[in-house]
Amino acid sequence: MAHMLTIGEPKLENAIAIVGTRRPSGAVDGLVGRLVKALGEGGYSIITGGAIGVDSIAVKYAIAYNVPYTIVKPCLNGSEKPPPGGALVSPYQCKRFSRWYFVGRDRVIAELALAIIIPEARSGTAKYACCGTWYTAVRYGVMRGKPAFIFKPLVNEPDVIEAYRIMVSGGVKPIASVNELLRVLGLVLQRRRLSHPT
């Protein structure tokens, strides 16, 4: 990882990004738990931004199920300790606050992941289904040829429905279950390996 600050030992082979809303519904915890467990059993590691909400739930279950995980922080100052069983990375050293740190974090998550998964998103005051989730999945994911998936809404809340619509219209593929995701993900990654042999 050129020009990347690291704390701990990132396990980035077969990394799958899990990103989403900072205000998840109550239904999301169980979904993320099943998702992380299944990904770990499938030989994948987790990469996320570590923010409160969906990201932190993914980290919680990665620790619980002993799945390797990497948190991409907006910036690092070098004094942080590696999280239990995981690692921290960032493209920036913390100097003074910049919103571009967050955009850079979103870009790095998408670049390091084989695919991006959104358990739940919410729309907000921003133009897109707010904000880091859209940047990661659509701008730096789908628009650059990275597969991205979003689970069909588990709750009938207007901002969840609207975010889902925005993500799907941006090219993020809808998924109904963890089993469907694993099947589709396996097929997509197999096709990518065949078309881009190393």
Side-chain angles (χ1 to χ4, degrees):
M1 287 183 303
H3 310 305
M4 195 74 61
L5 304 170
T6 66
I7 295 175
E9 296 182 22
K11 308 269 191 313
L12 297 173
E13 314 78 32
N14 299 319
I16 302 293
I18 299 178
V19 297
T21 179
R22 291 173 183 253
R23 298 181 295 112
S25 66
V28 168
D29 190 276
L31 170 62
V32 175
R34 293 190 304 276
L35 174 62
V36 170
K37 186 172 191 285
L39 289 171
E41 290 171 350
Y44 297 104
S45 65
I46 304 300
I47 188 165
T48 188
I52 61 169
V54 167
D55 295 22
S56 293
I57 295 169
V59 170
K60 173 181 81 171
Y61 283 112
I63 294 168
Y65 294 125
N66 201 28
V67 177
Y69 67 97
T70 300
I71 298 172
V72 181
K73 302 293 281 182
C75 64
L76 292 171
N77 61 32
S79 65
E80 298 88 349
K81 301 276 189 252
L88 303 174
V89 302
S90 179
Y92 305 113
Q93 183 174 18
C94 296
K95 291 186 178 169
R96 59 187 154 200
F97 176 79
S98 169
R99 67 186 177 94
W100 295 111
Y101 286 169
F102 293 90
V103 175
R105 175 205 57 195
D106 301 336
R107 176 184 51 77
V108 168
I109 291 170
E111 286 175 355
L112 294 177
L114 293 174
I116 301 153
I117 301 169
I118 306 166
E120 184 177 83
R122 285 186 188 271
S123 60
T125 56
K127 180 177 180 182
Y128 301 110
C130 200
C131 299
T133 304
W134 183 87
Y135 272 100
T136 304
V138 179
R139 181 170 181 182
Y140 296 119
V142 172
M143 290 181 180
R144 296 186 179 187
K146 189 79 60 161
F149 306 92
I150 186 168
F151 281 90
K152 293 181 178 174
L154 299 173
V155 294
N156 190 22
E157 297 177 17
D159 53 350
V160 172
I161 304 294
E162 175 64 5
Y164 175 81
R165 184 195 66 74
I166 291 168
M167 293 293 182
V168 171
S169 70
V172 178
K173 302 289 185 235
I175 289 291
S177 69
V178 171
N179 286 340
E180 180 188 356
L181 172 71
L182 292 176
R183 182 179 56 77
V184 173
L185 180 62
L187 292 171
V188 167
L189 295 179
Q190 182 179 25
R191 276 198 302 269
R192 285 174 63 91
R193 280 191 285 270
L194 291 173
S195 62
H196 300 96
T198 53

